[in-house]
Amino acid sequence: MMSGTALSQGRVVIKGSTTVLPVAQAAAEALMKKDPQVQVSISGGGSGDGIKALIDRITDIATSSRDIKPEESALAKSHGVKPLAHKVAIDAIVPIVHPGNPVSNLSVEQLSLIYQGKIRNWNEVGGENRKIVMISRDTSSGTYESWQEKILHGAKVSPRSQLQVSSGAIVQLISRNRFAIGYIGIGYVNKSVKALKVNGIEATAENAQSGKYPVARPLFMFTDGQPGGPVASFIKFMLGREGQKIVAREGFVPIK
Amino acid sequence: MSRKLKEIIIKNIFFLTALVSVAVLGLIMVFIFREAVPIFRVVSVFDFLFGTQWYPTYKPPEFGILPLIFGSLIVTFFSTLIAVPIGVLSAIYISELARPWIKEIFKPVIELLAGIPSVVLGFFGLVIIAPWLQDTFDMPTGLNIINCSMMLALMAVPTIASISEDALYAVPREFKEASYALGATKAETIIRVVVPAAVSGISTAVILGMARAIGETMVVLMIGGGATAIPEGIFDSVRPMPASIAAEMGEAPFRGLHYHALFATGAVLFMLTLAFNLVADYISHRFRQVGSGTL
Amino acid sequence: MNAVASTDTALTGVEAGLKERAKGSRSLRYFKQSVFFGVLRLSALIIALSLGGILAFIIFNGIGAVNWAFLTEFPRDSMTKGGIMPAILGTFYLTLGAILFSLPLGIMCSIYLSEYARYGRIVRIIRIGINNLAGVPSVVFGLFGLGVFVVFLQFGSCILSGSLTLGIMILPTIIGASEEALRAVPQTFREASLALGVSKWQTIFRIVLPNALPGILTGSILGIGRAAGETAPIMFTAAAFFTAKLPHSIFDEVMALPYHIYVLATAGTHIEQTRPIQYGTALVLVALVLSVDLVAILIRSYIRRKKRW
């Protein structure tokens, strides 16, 4: 018996990205209020978790903050799964520091060197004379993958960086640590942390949509082929006006 | 049905259940090793165990788990360092010194400490100890070896204390009486007679405590800090093996290289705890005290 | 001592030396004893304070969040409001399932080990096997559960998978404690019973088992506590971040208290805002587990007092 397939009684199982999690959760709550027949169960774990769960057929929707990798596509094909991407929002990855940190702007180059462990002290980038504490996401994270691609251009993240399991955890750490740097989806930025500008450009909805902000990326929900039943309702809701309002409300950028 | 036949049947039913219990362990072993072996077609055992680069999702991926092993060993070492004195001394306290009413209260205290779920200790370390450490000692991060070791010690202490206490309790009274008769003080009796007599049980307790620490997942996941590098000091972050497995398993594609590598990590962890248990078993057999007559 | 002195002086010197050492060393010995005892007391105090400190923090920070609504409602507004009822229920189901599986199996296995097994190689292997099962890290159980129950047997992520995984995990705890309890029953009981012509099985069932009950009970309770509090085994096999409705069947995913704490504290969407709920959940979990432990302890000491050995 597959608990993953949900065409029974309106169950929808969602797994994947912690970046997309707040959006999925808010949407699920709103949809369930509208249509009590639909029952959504949500988990995080990272984009990689979600895609893997889709391939293993233990989830209906895989949320992901990155596109599917060729290896994953191949694996899916060998399992008879056809991942279909639904772009539901645009996200900007924002480097953050403690509000007390004097640094306000870093270039892509500087961020790359910091995360490779080659720039180790804040005073090399205009801050105080303190060791930089690098906080990163672990490898299951789509945020991590995007960061690695767009900032590090494929270079290795230093093993001394502390790996956290979610954007929320990074916010929590940074808000308490005067010498740490991290990166999160724009939806997670709040008053307890300070967002840095990248190459002088601020992370805003307009800059992300126009492409000026260098670290923007789409957020996806993957399904196995064309969805039907309650899963289709959920996707439709997500892409519709109400769903996109929720996207904006959670701090992300709607796709229109 | 004759009584004898009934007895035989019952005995064999019980034997079967014992086999099932062991079969489960065997199954876990088989399963883990089976899923681990494929990684060694890509990386040699030596490179896996002693490689210092853990980049399983990189292109090309690298699978060296030395930093993870090191992380495990280091937090186990420090937590044992903290837990053994506290645990053994407390066991001695309960078994030899405490007045009956204190004993009645204190033994439950230890059991309750054992009962605290690991996630709660992880939560405590994350939310209370880490900020405190960071602020008081101006550390770069409060999620590090020392924090981790302290909370792991809290988990190991009840194991060490209760098994040691059993071992001390099992020391025959005649030993103590003989010692007192020769004029020894209570402390001398404890230190020179009782504890040595119980040493096999106490060693077993310590080793089992260590095995507990090395296998613990939630505490190291939440408090270790997650840095996959060999630490330079006790204020650095680490990522012991269980933390890596728990954090990365969800995303490793089924039967992909990363998946196999994680199972191989699990196998290494498993063999370490196996080694601990075998040593404990050996000690408790080789040195066991079979009653007071065998002096 | 002057080695050149004559034998007499040497002997008296030795005597004097011994007396001197005996006298001074007496108070020295008792002083050392006081220090030693002080250290012992200190160790015990550290344990008591650790327990007390942790409980105090959790109670102090969590009590504000816990009220009837908290215990009986669903979470709302991305978990920042509402209650944790589905998690409480989920933990209950998972633990119940675990115990249903492992208690019978565990007791029967321990009966074999304690009453029937002859000291030989097979038994030694079985025992080693069980001890090692005890040492397997909880995350490895989670992997095993994922691979076998969730994927291979295709139960999916659900109560059944979670319970079986937890059950396997606590099996050695139950076996260990039960066996110890059975062994603690004096051999004379068995001998007396057998001498009266009672069969071995009847002896076990009517004499040994009842007397071993406190120990078995304690072991089971520790097992329950562990099953209720463990996170790693259910992370991949049963737990969900959020379920809209209560589970209908054993093939549904559930929320669970330990997972809830973990997720809210590390992977949630509003970590700081949900902090009071995290504390509240921790308080509920700790209260649940510790009161269950306390009950077992009380039962055990009650039965102990009634015993006459």
Side-chain angles (χ1 to χ4, degrees):
Chain A
M1 157 148 1
M2 300 272 208
S3 73
T5 54
L7 291 180
S8 48
Q9 311 154 347
R11 267 184 54 201
V12 181
V13 179
I14 305 181
K15 284 190 201 289
S17 162
T18 63
T19 305
V20 185
L21 191 58
V23 169
Q25 171 115 15
E29 283 173 5
L31 183 60
M32 287 191 289
K33 255 199 267 211
K34 263 180 66 173
D35 180 4
Q37 288 281 40
V38 176
Q39 293 173 49
V40 187
S41 89
I42 308 185
S43 302
S47 308
D49 278 31
I51 295 182
K52 179 198 164 183
L54 190 70
I55 296 177
D56 286 345
R57 290 181 205 253
I58 47 182
T59 188
D60 299 307
I61 299 181
T63 52
S64 172
S65 58
R66 59 168 172 81
D67 205 349
I68 193 169
K69 295 188 207 172
E71 313 89 75
E72 289 167 336
S73 286
L75 194 61
K77 202 155 153 208
S78 69
H79 281 238
V81 170
K82 292 195 277 299
L84 182 61
H86 308 271
K87 194 156 77 161
V88 298
I90 297 184
D91 180 26
I93 307 184
V94 187
I96 51 169
V97 295
H98 190 268
N101 194 319
V103 176
S104 302
N105 173 38
L106 286 174
S107 70
V108 171
E109 181 68 28
Q110 286 171 313
L111 285 169
S112 175
L113 289 174
I114 288 178
Y115 268 93
Q116 288 179 58
K118 297 196 176 135
I119 294 183
R120 303 188 99 179
N121 195 310
W122 279 112
N123 60 16
E124 297 176 57
V125 292
E128 301 162 341
N129 178 11
R130 293 292 287 223
K131 215 165 76 160
I132 302 181
V133 178
M134 303 165 277
I135 308 205
S136 174
R137 291 288 305 282
D138 61 49
T139 54
S140 68
S141 159
T143 312
Y144 162 80
E145 299 274 348
S146 306
W147 185 258
Q148 214 210 5
E149 188 197 311
K150 301 220 151 84
I151 297 277
L152 288 135
H153 303 300
K156 280 190 194 164
V157 173
S158 159
R160 336 208 91 247
S161 56
Q162 296 183 26
L163 306 180
Q164 298 299 313
V165 296
S166 74
S167 294
I170 297 189
V171 169
Q172 188 181 222
L173 275 184
I174 303 270
S175 65
R176 291 214 199 102
N177 191 324
R178 289 209 323 273
F179 311 109
I181 182 170
Y183 54 86
I184 54 174
I186 193 174
Y188 279 89
V189 174
N190 62 29
K191 286 189 288 281
S192 66
V193 295
K194 173 175 160 184
L196 295 179
K197 294 199 240 197
V198 179
N199 283 355
I201 303 175
E202 204 184 321
T204 62
E206 303 85 52
N207 288 340
Q209 257 173 346
S210 68
K212 262 174 82 183
Y213 185 74
V215 213
R217 59 180 178 161
L219 299 179
F220 296 101
M221 288 191 182
F222 287 94
T223 53
D224 182 6
Q226 276 295 350
V231 183
S233 314
F234 187 83
I235 299 280
K236 212 166 120 199
F237 180 80
M238 209 57 247
L239 296 171
R241 201 162 49 98
E242 274 186 74
Q244 290 299 300
K245 266 212 295 213
I246 291 180
V247 166
R249 205 178 60 211
E250 291 293 325
F252 295 98
V253 182
I255 44 180
K256 309 277 181 301
Chain B
M1 187 187 304
S2 83
R3 224 188 187 199
K4 187 137 190 236
L5 186 61
K6 190 167 160 205
E7 287 291 315
I8 294 180
I9 292 180
I10 291 182
K11 170 173 176 175
N12 282 306
I13 293 180
F14 283 123
F15 181 59
L16 280 173
T17 59
L19 282 185
V20 165
S21 312
V22 179
V24 167
L25 177 75
L27 212 66
I28 295 182
M29 278 181 70
V30 162
F31 187 86
I32 293 181
F33 281 92
R34 200 175 72 131
E35 300 294 324
V37 158
I39 190 68
F40 296 116
R41 282 185 224 133
V42 170
V43 60
S44 75
V45 176
F46 185 82
D47 286 334
F48 185 72
L49 291 178
F50 294 101
T52 56
Q53 307 286 319
W54 175 253
Y55 284 103
T57 53
Y58 201 66
K59 279 179 264 300
E62 291 182 64
F63 297 110
I65 64 169
L66 191 65
L68 308 183
I69 297 181
F70 207 78
S72 275
L73 291 179
I74 255 216
V75 293
T76 305
F77 174 72
F78 281 109
S79 66
T80 306
L81 214 60
I82 301 175
V84 166
I86 299 182
V88 174
L89 291 173
S90 299
I92 298 177
Y93 175 71
I94 299 179
S95 143
E96 304 296 322
L97 186 63
R99 268 162 290 186
W101 69 267
I102 297 189
K103 195 166 162 174
E104 281 296 305
I105 299 188
F106 193 60
K107 283 190 75 168
V109 163
I110 295 190
E111 284 188 60
L112 289 182
L113 188 63
I116 298 187
S118 53
V119 66
V120 171
L121 285 178
F123 179 66
F124 188 75
L126 177 71
V127 167
I128 300 203
I129 304 277
W132 175 76
L133 278 178
Q134 210 173 297
D135 294 335
T136 320
F137 300 102
D138 205 20
M139 291 180 210
T141 174
L143 301 179
N144 53 28
I145 295 177
I146 191 81
N147 188 351
C148 212
S149 302
M150 289 198 303
M151 302 317 284
L152 279 179
L154 278 182
M155 300 205 72
V157 157
T159 307
I160 297 180
S162 59
I163 300 182
S164 298
E165 196 247 326
D166 289 341
L168 291 163
Y169 185 71
V171 173
R173 262 182 41 198
E174 292 87 5
F175 286 26
K176 292 188 249 184
E177 288 167 359
S179 177
Y180 292 143
L182 288 170
T185 63
K186 189 159 182 179
E188 287 165 353
T189 306
I190 295 177
I191 300 179
R192 297 196 200 206
V193 178
V194 180
V195 169
V199 99
S200 73
I202 296 181
S203 312
T204 313
V206 168
I207 293 177
L208 290 179
M210 286 174 81
R212 182 98 206 266
I214 207 174
E216 173 48 44
T217 311
M218 294 320 289
V219 169
V220 299
L221 181 59
M222 292 168 88
I223 311 184
T228 57
I230 296 185
E232 286 166 3
I234 59 169
F235 302 118
D236 278 356
S237 300
V238 280
R239 194 171 168 95
M241 292 182 278
S244 230
I245 299 176
E248 295 173 26
M249 195 58 206
E251 63 129 348
F254 192 61
R255 299 259 168 87
L257 276 182
H258 192 182
Y259 174 93
H260 290 304
L262 288 176
F263 266 92
T265 311
V268 171
L269 189 58
F270 183 79
M271 289 203 278
L272 266 176
T273 47
L274 180 71
F276 278 132
N277 276 292
L278 288 179
V279 169
D281 179 66
Y282 176 73
I283 291 183
S284 78
H285 276 279
R286 180 86 152 63
F287 298 107
R288 70 184 164 178
Q289 205 76 36
V290 236
S292 49
T294 55
L295 266 184
Chain C
M1 277 201 302
N2 194 342
V4 181
S6 71
T7 331
D8 280 66
T9 343
L11 278 173
T12 45
V14 170
E15 271 177 20
L18 277 175
K19 281 212 195 102
E20 191 57 51
R21 206 165 52 182
K23 214 183 7 181
S25 86
R26 195 109 180 271
S27 39
L28 180 66
R29 288 161 68 205
Y30 278 105
F31 174 69
K32 282 191 200 162
Q33 172 164 289
S34 312
V35 169
F36 180 61
F37 284 177
V39 167
L40 291 185
R41 292 195 178 97
L42 184 65
S43 311
L45 196 64
I46 293 179
I47 294 186
L49 284 179
S50 305
L51 180 68
I54 295 179
L55 288 184
F57 265 107
I58 294 191
I59 295 178
F60 183 69
N61 284 306
I63 197 76
V66 179
N67 50 42
W68 187 246
F70 186 70
L71 297 173
T72 53
E73 281 180 12
F74 270 81
R76 282 178 287 131
D77 290 345
S78 298
M79 313 276 188
T80 54
K81 296 200 200 48
I84 56 168
M85 190 264 288
I88 298 179
L89 207 60
T91 293
F92 175 69
Y93 285 138
L94 286 169
T95 312
L96 185 65
I99 273 286
L100 282 177
F101 170 71
S102 64
L103 196 59
L105 191 62
I107 294 184
M108 288 172 79
C109 180
S110 62
I111 289 179
Y112 175 76
L113 285 175
S114 157
E115 306 297 315
Y116 286 107
R118 216 120 311 177
Y119 201 77
R121 286 202 98 194
I122 303 183
V123 171
R124 186 111 179 256
I125 292 181
I126 293 183
R127 212 180 282 289
I128 291 182
I130 293 174
N131 284 336
N132 282 301
L133 197 61
V136 174
S138 47
V139 69
V140 173
F141 281 116
L143 290 183
F144 179 70
L146 174 66
V148 172
F149 301 123
V150 175
V151 176
F152 182 68
L153 290 175
Q154 299 193 343
F155 293 153
S157 173
C158 64
I159 299 181
L160 183 62
S161 304
S163 298
L164 288 173
T165 311
L166 286 173
I168 293 178
M169 191 187 75
I170 64 174
L171 196 59
T173 310
I174 296 192
I175 294 178
S178 305
E179 199 199 335
E180 200 191 298
L182 290 166
R183 280 189 185 282
V185 175
Q187 197 60 11
T188 49
F189 283 31
R190 296 182 187 84
E191 289 166 359
S193 174
L194 292 170
L196 287 171
V198 180
S199 77
K200 183 154 189 174
W201 163 239
Q202 289 289 330
T203 305
I204 297 176
F205 188 58
R206 290 191 187 280
I207 309 278
V208 181
L209 256 188
N211 277 297
L213 219 47
I216 296 182
L217 209 61
T218 323
S220 318
I221 299 294
L222 282 179
I224 288 182
R226 243 196 113 188
E230 278 289 339
T231 322
I234 56 174
M235 247 158 84
F236 314 127
T237 57
F241 179 60
F242 174 67
T243 57
K245 298 255 172 31
L246 295 178
H248 293 289
S249 78
I250 56 173
F251 293 104
D252 286 342
E253 275 189 332
V254 284
M255 290 166 71
L257 289 170
Y259 188 68
H260 204 65
I261 300 174
Y262 168 67
V263 151
L264 285 183
T266 59
T269 46
H270 304 279
I271 293 186
E272 290 295 328
Q273 279 165 278
T274 53
R275 187 72 78 207
I277 300 195
Q278 295 163 30
Y279 271 113
T281 313
L283 178 57
V284 169
L285 179 62
V286 166
L288 224 61
V289 169
L290 292 194
S291 47
V292 150
D293 280 354
L294 266 178
V295 164
I297 292 173
L298 290 174
I299 293 180
R300 187 182 57 188
S301 67
Y302 171 71
I303 295 185
R304 274 239 175 102
R305 258 180 281 131
K306 282 185 73 182
K307 269 192 205 306
R308 275 167 287 118
W309 42 278

